[in-house]
Amino acid sequence: MAKTVALFLFVYVAGIVAGHGEYRGKETVSVTATLGMPWPMPQQYSSTQDLFTINRNAFKFRATGQSCDILESAFFRYQTIIFGLREEVLKFHPKLRAGTLTELDVNVKNKCDRYPYLGMDESYNLTIAASGAILNSNSVWGALRGIETFSQLVLQQSTDMFSVNGTTVVDYPRFQHRGLLLDTSRHFLDVTIIKQNLLAMSQSKFNVFHWHIVDDQSFPYTSNNFPDMSKMGGYDSRHIYTQDQIAEIIEYARILGIRVVPEFDSPGHSQSWGKSIKDLLTKCYSGSKPNGQYGPIDPSLESSYGFLAKFFAEIGKVFPDHYVHLGGDEVNFDCWKSNPNITAFMKQKNFGTDYAKLEEYYVQRLLDIVSGVNKGYMIWQEVVDNNAKVKPDTIVEVWKGGYQAEMSKVTSLGYKTLLSSCWYLNYISYGTDWPKYYSCEPYNFNGTAEQKKLVIGGETCMWGEYVDNTNVISRTWPRASVVAERLWSAQSVKDATAAAPRLEEHRCRMIKRGFPAESVNGPGYCPQEYSIPV
């Protein structure tokens, strides 16, 4: 008998399956949602009333194609996620009857990649039938996504017994970049919290951790070449990430199929950098004298670029992903305007009084440095808004309001584009706020088909002014899952009313798996509530 969760609201049933049957279309009903619906919704998904039982003491995952540490780790992990115990501690094999599922055969066609990357193949096919359960994928990344879907279809009936309906899934992501940003500068986040967030990301099929690791407030990145940056720029010696901890986070993300893209934002948002690097920041003037304040990185000094070259050479070795986010947002020109040395530099370069040209000069130098260490780069939209000319392969992230016009503009210039404007989770309000995130559509702008092809995905952002270890997971989840579905599922999957029961189930699933995922649909309950061991 399938478990149910009561939702005390009227919904349009477009995704509720009667006994896991066919979609029933739209109708207004008081719904008790049958569990076992996947999130995000696969591209093609159908299920039957054929029910297969699973005894957790007799089930295993089996690689029938290529295998590697990523897949083996997934088998080990999901044995616990689904059944609550590890495969190697199984002591006995009970007698089985017809209609029992004993294994999921995972057939990966191609040799495993070492690290996930932009454009990796995450497609998979999953079939659960009387003949057995088979997951086919071209890559190990598709296998990871398919195993997660399988885990969501399995329902617990008793201590040892589980069930799953006959199911056919053909699935792949709509967008290749599906990211989540965490800010560890304004509030430091422990490694355990970051890893917990990565695990949650994998269970909603995110594939990019945008690590906004440093900012004005603190510099917790421990640099090999410039160790004083964290010693002087971090909050204190306990609120830093060592090289070993950074490697641990990257490795944990790799096993989950998640890219780690670090952001080192400049020339603005760099006050913490200047606490240890002499003359890096621009001295601000009042009249003819410095006033003791500092602005963005000084683009007129050659020493600035010498430092950046050495620093990003290190970053290129520490972070294996091809991309680094270089920021470029919210650069205040006032300090540059006040500094007589920069005024003289502007005159020398024939920039006149156009400080956007000065920013462009800095950005071009920085991009050349990053290109020199064989890295690609992402930037915030202001660089383009200020008419800076950047390289054709630059990825531009749109984050300000009025994103439709901005997306049209950036794609018309030929740049690959990400959207995050409508997915800032740090803006909270009383009540049910997730439908506004669900209604956001990256293709909702005027542009040609070729422009739309340049939209490679989007990111949801949790900025750190008001979140720390105590609340960042609950504040982020399951609201971030809403964005995950819009980036993974078909464009037609956009009805928030139809999605509500599945989101409620996904939240309860996260609770059962140990995440303190906050309530998003008002009054209700989960069959297994979240509790903290005392």
Side-chain angles (χ1 to χ4, degrees), residues 189 415 518:
L189 298 175
Y415 300 123
E518 69 179 14

PDB file of all heavy atoms in Angstrom, residues 189 415 518:
ATOM      1  N   LEU A 189      30.981  29.395   6.106  1.00  0.00           N
ATOM      2  CA  LEU A 189      30.240  28.142   6.180  1.00  0.00           C
ATOM      3  C   LEU A 189      31.217  26.991   6.369  1.00  0.00           C
ATOM      4  O   LEU A 189      32.203  26.874   5.626  1.00  0.00           O
ATOM      5  CB  LEU A 189      29.417  27.916   4.909  1.00  0.00           C
ATOM      6  CG  LEU A 189      28.332  28.954   4.604  1.00  0.00           C
ATOM      7  CD1 LEU A 189      27.687  28.661   3.256  1.00  0.00           C
ATOM      8  CD2 LEU A 189      27.279  28.999   5.702  1.00  0.00           C
ATOM      9  N   TYR A 415      27.285  36.458 -26.746  1.00  0.00           N
ATOM     10  CA  TYR A 415      27.877  35.818 -25.575  1.00  0.00           C
ATOM     11  C   TYR A 415      26.981  34.710 -25.027  1.00  0.00           C
ATOM     12  O   TYR A 415      25.751  34.844 -24.990  1.00  0.00           O
ATOM     13  CB  TYR A 415      28.116  36.846 -24.466  1.00  0.00           C
ATOM     14  CG  TYR A 415      29.049  37.963 -24.851  1.00  0.00           C
ATOM     15  CD1 TYR A 415      28.644  39.288 -24.771  1.00  0.00           C
ATOM     16  CD2 TYR A 415      30.349  37.696 -25.289  1.00  0.00           C
ATOM     17  CE1 TYR A 415      29.496  40.332 -25.123  1.00  0.00           C
ATOM     18  CE2 TYR A 415      31.204  38.723 -25.642  1.00  0.00           C
ATOM     19  CZ  TYR A 415      30.772  40.042 -25.564  1.00  0.00           C
ATOM     20  OH  TYR A 415      31.626  41.061 -25.906  1.00  0.00           O
ATOM     21  N   GLU A 518      12.883  23.413   4.815  1.00  0.00           N
ATOM     22  CA  GLU A 518      11.792  24.158   5.440  1.00  0.00           C
ATOM     23  C   GLU A 518      10.465  23.928   4.726  1.00  0.00           C
ATOM     24  O   GLU A 518      10.426  23.533   3.555  1.00  0.00           O
ATOM     25  CB  GLU A 518      12.113  25.650   5.474  1.00  0.00           C
ATOM     26  CG  GLU A 518      12.117  26.326   4.131  1.00  0.00           C
ATOM     27  CD  GLU A 518      12.432  27.825   4.231  1.00  0.00           C
ATOM     28  OE1 GLU A 518      12.893  28.263   5.288  1.00  0.00           O
ATOM     29  OE2 GLU A 518      12.206  28.528   3.234  1.00  0.00           O
TER      30      GLU A 518
END
